[in-house]
Each structure stands twice: as structure tokens, then as C-alpha cells.
């Protein structure tokens, strides 16, 4: 009971902290850039004849690479750890996000967006974004002990 009260208090304090909202805004800006990159690469690969799942994986890798560097150097610049460790953690979070993205994308295509795969991918990216943010905020780019 006490632990729950402490957790709620910390959550409320975090929601009132301006820097957390600024950081979320930066993460969303980086995500917006990644979103455009992802959809542009995805659409180009679909037009080149790739299967939608393969196109989604390839476009995710390109956008993920961009997002890692932008988030590391801008969004979470005050939380930088060892580039290899942080990169591996970012990769794990991204792989989980990719898995969720592919699941949502596949379901949307099977539910009727077969002729609108770019729309399905756009929706899938939005659905998975909170998972990606939380994983990176709480693990990949968490505050490191000195």
C-alpha cells in the first residue's frame, strides 16, 4: 500500500516536471522525422515490389538508425551512457517495437487495408510509439549512476 502511494506520488511529480514534457516533445519531433523516413522508405520499397513485411522491416531499420542518433545527441543528451551499451539497449527496445509494429501492420492488412498498406503502416507506427518511448526513456536512456 505504501509502495503504491510512493509510486503514484513519483508519477504525479514526473507529470508536473517541465523537463519531462520538453523531452517528450523532442522525442515526438525525432519520432516525426523517423515516421516520415519510415513511410517514405516503406512506400518506395513497396513500389519496388517487396513484400509489405520485408518493406516494413527494412524501413524500420533505416528510421531506427536515424532515431537512435537524434535521440542520443538531442532528446536524451543528458542521459548518454556508453555508446555500445546504449546502442544495444536501443536495439532491443526497437526490436520489441518492430515486433509489435509488424503484428499491428499484419492485422490491419488482414482486416481490409490490403490495398492501403502505407496507411496500415502509418497507423501501426502510431500505435507502437508509446511502447518505444517508454522502453527508451526507462531503459536505453535512463539516468546512469555516476
Amino acid at each position: 500500500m505504501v509502495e503504491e502511494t510512493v509510486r503514484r506520488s513519483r508519477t504525479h511529480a514526473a507529470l508536473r516536471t517541465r523537463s519531462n514534457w520538453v523531452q517528450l516533445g523532442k522525442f515526438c519531433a525525432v519520432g516525426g522525422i523517423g515516421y516520415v523516413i519510415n513511410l517514405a522508405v516503406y512506400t518506395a520499397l513497396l513500389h519496388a515490389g517487396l513484400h509489405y513485411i520485408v518493406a516494413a522491416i527494412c524501413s524500420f531499420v533505416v528510421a531506427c538508425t536515424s532515431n537512435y542518433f537524434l535521440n542520443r545527441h538531442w532528446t536524451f543528451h543528458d542521459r548518454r551512457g556508453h555508446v555500445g551499451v546504449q546502442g544495444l539497449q536501443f536495439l532491443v527496445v526497437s526490436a520489441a517495437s518492430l515486433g509489435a509494429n509488424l503484428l499491428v501492420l499484419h492485422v490491419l492488412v488482414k482486416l481490409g487495408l490490403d490495398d492501403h498498406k502505407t496507411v496500415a503502416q502509418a497507423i501501426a507506427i502510431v500505435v507502437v510509439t508509446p511502447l518505444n518511448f517508454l522502453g527508451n526513456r526507462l531503459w536505453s536512456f535512463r539516468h546512469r549512476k555516476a
Side-chain angles (χ1 to χ4, degrees):
M1 186 75 155
V2 173
E3 291 176 8
E4 178 66 20
T5 304
V6 169
R7 187 186 61 77
R8 284 185 185 171
S9 177
R10 286 183 183 155
T11 301
H12 291 324
L15 290 173
R16 290 188 307 263
T17 304
R18 183 179 183 279
S19 64
N20 288 340
W21 288 104
V22 169
Q23 193 172 64
L24 177 60
K26 287 179 176 182
F27 185 84
C28 288
V30 169
I33 292 166
Y35 186 75
V36 169
I37 290 170
N38 190 318
L39 290 178
V41 172
Y42 179 76
T43 302
L45 293 174
L46 284 180
H47 287 295
L50 263 65
H51 186 272
Y52 74 95
I53 294 292
V54 175
I57 292 169
C58 293
S59 63
F60 189 87
V61 168
V62 172
C64 181
T65 302
S66 167
N67 286 359
Y68 173 68
F69 287 106
L70 290 171
N71 278 317
R72 180 171 166 77
H73 295 288
W74 185 50
T75 308
F76 300 111
H77 64 88
D78 61 330
R79 296 169 168 239
R80 288 200 310 208
H82 184 276
V83 68
V85 172
Q86 214 165 39
L88 183 59
Q89 290 171 325
F90 189 88
L91 181 62
V92 169
V93 171
S94 296
S97 297
L98 174 60
N101 177 279
L102 294 176
L103 178 65
V104 172
L105 174 62
H106 181 71
V107 168
L108 290 172
V109 167
K110 293 302 176 190
L111 288 176
L113 288 175
D114 188 47
D115 293 335
H116 305 284
K117 290 182 180 82
T118 300
V119 172
Q121 175 69 336
I123 293 168
I125 293 168
V126 170
V127 168
V128 173
T129 294
L131 169 71
N132 196 4
F133 175 73
L134 288 174
N136 283 305
R137 173 83 163 73
L138 299 175
W139 190 45
S140 305
F141 296 105
R142 74 178 183 274
H143 276 293
R144 309 285 185 210
K145 292 182 180 178

